[in-house]
Amino acid sequence: MNTTGATTLLRTAAELDAFGAGKGPRAVVMTMGALHEGHATLIRAARTAAGPDGQVVVTVFVNPLQFGEAADLDRYPRTLDADLAVAGAAGADAVFAPSVDEVYPGGEPQVRIDAGPMGERLEGASRPGHFDGMLTVVAKMLHLTRPDAAFFGQKDAQQLALIRRMVRDLNFPVEIVGVETVREPDGLALSSRNRFLDAEERRTALALSRALFAARDRLAAQQALHARAQTTTATTGRAAALTRLGEVRAAADTQAVAWARPDDGPTAVRAAARTILDDAAAAQPPLALDYLALVDPADFTEIPDDRTTGDAILAVAARVGATRLIDNIPLTFGADT
């Protein structure tokens, strides 16, 4: 057990047990290291929840079960010294950074968590077995750290949904807290993978967040028009009359209100995002789209085109050069405007 400033580095389960003895409520943030401001936001949220008498533990473990190829595992950045500094500055009491042998004594586990049908969609389809490995290590870390609450980022929305489902289905005595995605000033979602982008690739990668924001704005506009249609007498006939009078802008506005429908939101959302992603596919370097999906946050099934109410997640994944990036944004259909 080593202490760096106010943050203690723990390497074994025995050290973790000893460190937690007799302390107050514990909040845990699970990571694979390479900590950045997104992780720091999670740690600060955990610190607030745990309070001055509680304890915040950050786990740093690059889980081999989540990597389909050995090259990807080897490429993942290991920056433990920097991680300790970030964790300490954000308010962590300890960093638990066990070895692979400590987490998986005797080799890879023979019994694993099965992510089920949700784990086969989107990210699961692109990375077979990824979510089984993720849930297995999260389950192990929950047992090892025994937190009252565990904090995860909304950027990995499918991961968060699966963890919540596992905790509910298997009766883990822990609260799972989702924290809003943290973005860089240009809109790119914070990720340890961003460091692999050169300047030109980064410009192309910005299409992911731009597509999501455009879809969000399009939905807001659609819902505002529908709200106006409920309270005004706009008709296509009135629009035609305004056109004859030369009131072109007023005619266009009236026409838009008259045509506003509550059941074209999903179609409009997908179209707005797709336009930007299609443009990025023709950029240099190009964006190679993996998926664009508008899904139910409960099970990640596709939202039907006629959905008029309820929550959704618009998720996107793509490659720029050799780097694969994901992003998402929550949406609500039928929200007040």
Side-chain angles (χ1 to χ4, degrees):
M1 183 185 302
N2 297 316
T3 300
T4 305
T7 304
T8 301
L9 175 61
L10 309 171
R11 289 292 198 174
T12 69
E15 291 177 349
L16 181 62
D17 287 343
F19 185 80
K23 302 292 177 63
R26 174 179 282 180
V28 165
V29 176
M30 297 186 192
T31 82
M32 290 204 298
L35 302 190
H36 49 63
E37 179 57 26
H39 298 108
T41 299
L42 294 175
I43 297 167
R44 287 192 289 268
R47 179 77 272 164
T48 298
D53 298 325
Q55 190 180 83
V56 175
V57 175
V58 176
T59 69
V60 173
F61 180 65
V62 182
N63 179 31
L65 302 188
Q66 291 175 233
F67 290 83
E69 299 179 6
D72 289 339
L73 175 61
D74 293 340
R75 186 181 182 221
Y76 198 88
R78 275 82 165 174
T79 58
L80 184 57
D81 289 342
D83 294 343
L84 284 166
V86 172
D93 298 296
V95 169
F96 178 48
S99 66
V100 173
D101 289 339
E102 182 71 19
V103 177
Y104 302 124
E108 290 192 3
Q110 298 301 300
V111 177
R112 307 188 187 196
I113 302 291
D114 185 337
M118 195 195 323
E120 298 172 356
R121 298 172 187 136
L122 300 188
E123 284 301 291
S126 298
R127 305 164 68 186
H130 167 76
F131 285 127
D132 292 354
M134 178 276 293
L135 289 178
T136 298
V137 78
V138 168
K140 291 209 68 165
M141 288 296 182
L142 287 175
H143 286 308
L144 288 169
T145 60
R146 297 193 295 277
D148 298 282
F151 290 72
F152 297 89
Q154 178 65 36
K155 185 179 88 67
D156 296 300
Q158 192 173 3
Q159 170 180 284
L160 175 59
L162 279 162
I163 291 170
R164 282 177 166 153
R165 185 70 192 220
M166 177 185 73
V167 164
R168 183 171 71 250
D169 286 354
L170 301 183
N171 298 103
F172 279 75
V174 61
E175 178 187 4
I176 302 300
V177 182
V179 178
E180 185 176 350
T181 300
V182 178
R183 298 184 180 278
E184 301 194 41
D186 58 9
L188 191 67
L190 278 173
S191 170
S192 59
R193 295 176 182 269
N194 292 353
R195 69 185 67 195
F196 299 132
L197 299 169
D198 63 28
E200 293 180 348
E201 290 171 339
R202 186 184 178 92
R203 281 195 292 273
T204 296
L206 290 175
L208 272 69
S209 56
R210 287 176 51 234
L212 296 177
F213 298 156
R216 178 195 61 193
D217 293 346
R218 178 68 176 273
L219 178 60
Q222 289 288 112
Q223 294 184 153
L225 286 171
H226 177 62
R228 287 179 59 194
Q230 300 297 100
T231 59
T232 67
T233 58
T235 65
T236 54
R238 176 174 170 75
L242 287 167
T243 300
R244 288 193 296 273
L245 291 173
E247 298 290 342
V248 177
R249 292 183 61 183
D253 181 67
T254 301
Q255 187 77 69
V257 172
W259 284 356
R261 297 171 50 203
D263 61 351
D264 61 359
T267 300
V269 161
R270 291 184 177 101
R274 177 71 67 172
T275 296
I276 291 175
L277 296 171
D278 286 348
D279 287 344
Q284 289 299 325
L287 181 143
L289 184 65
D290 188 346
Y291 61 75
L292 172 70
L294 183 66
V295 298
D296 188 320
D299 58 10
F300 273 66
T301 55
E302 280 281 348
I303 295 291
D305 287 340
D306 60 355
R307 171 69 63 86
T308 59
T309 60
D311 294 331
I313 290 174
L314 183 63
V316 62
R319 286 188 180 274
V320 182
T323 304
R324 187 174 185 276
L325 300 169
I326 64 172
D327 202 351
N328 70 85
I329 194 168
L331 300 172
T332 300
F333 292 92
D336 293 334
T337 55

